[in-house]
Amino acid sequence: MSGVWRWRHNPLRRRTDLAEAWLALVTLVVMVLAVPAVGALCGSLTDASLRQALAEQRRHRHVTAAVVVARAERQTGPAQPDGSMGRVTRTKVIANWTAHDGSSHSGTLGTSLKAPAPGATFRLWTDDHGSPVPHPMTTGAAETHAVFSGICAAAMAAGLIEGTRRLIVWRLIRRRYERLDRAWARYGPDWGRTGAGS
């Protein structure tokens, strides 16, 4: 506001100076009002979507006990899809398990058991058909993703607003220099000559 007030009655003021001051004020107001709104909207939409996905995962993923039949090989497994467990050393075993629908299954699985002996049991997440799946996303991981999404959306909105302001200021400065060049072309050759009025 002080920038607008300063240029209001200044005799050295150009139209571009006043436009630049108003642009700064409008940008500030838009940032204060729009950026938090965009962040909150994006965060709440992401949260609603993740809560729906989480409910779907909990409805269709079931935990069961798998029984080790024999040891296969040791390897490092991938990180969990929700990023909650990081990379862990997994031991591959051949195991049997019973699905949620009562059907029996067997296959090679990764387990965090350090020394899996035949007959040892471990938790296994399966889908409705008994196929192994990652455990459902935790509520904390979903909330973290939603908050991060809101922060990123707010930062992008702020960057877009500031980028637009800078582009407009760049155009105003170019216009200012073009006017200066035209004025100099008109009066420059007569600069300092007696009786030229300059």
Side-chain angles (χ1 to χ4, degrees), residues 113-158:
L113 296 173
K114 294 195 189 285
T121 61
F122 61 93
R123 285 169 44 106
L124 175 67
W125 284 92
T126 62
D127 62 12
D128 291 332
H129 306 293
S131 300
V133 292
H135 66 79
M137 182 184 291
T138 63
T139 305
E143 288 172 356
T144 302
H145 287 307
V147 168
F148 185 69
S149 172
I151 290 171
C152 287
M156 286 176 60

Side-chain angles (χ1 to χ4, degrees), residues 22-85:
W22 275 110
L23 178 65
L25 180 63
V26 169
T27 301
L28 178 66
V29 170
V30 169
M31 274 208 190
V32 167
L33 298 177
V35 169
V38 167
L41 178 66
C42 184
S44 66
L45 290 175
T46 303
D47 185 54
S49 175
L50 287 175
R51 283 185 189 275
Q52 184 179 359
L54 184 59
E56 193 73 17
Q57 286 180 359
R58 286 182 176 164
R59 195 167 34 255
H60 296 291
R61 295 186 186 185
H62 316 281
V63 69
T64 187
V67 181
V68 176
V69 175
R71 188 170 177 161
E73 59 185 83
R74 187 178 176 87
Q75 73 168 19
T76 300
Q80 292 293 337
D82 65 355
S84 62
M85 299 235 353

Side-chain angles (χ1 to χ4, degrees), residues 174-194:
R174 282 200 52 180
R175 189 175 301 164
R176 187 181 299 161
Y177 284 141
E178 286 168 3
R179 285 184 182 151
L180 222 102
D181 287 342
R182 283 196 300 269
W184 183 253
R186 201 169 31 233
Y187 298 112
D190 293 333
W191 188 262
R193 289 173 55 188
T194 306

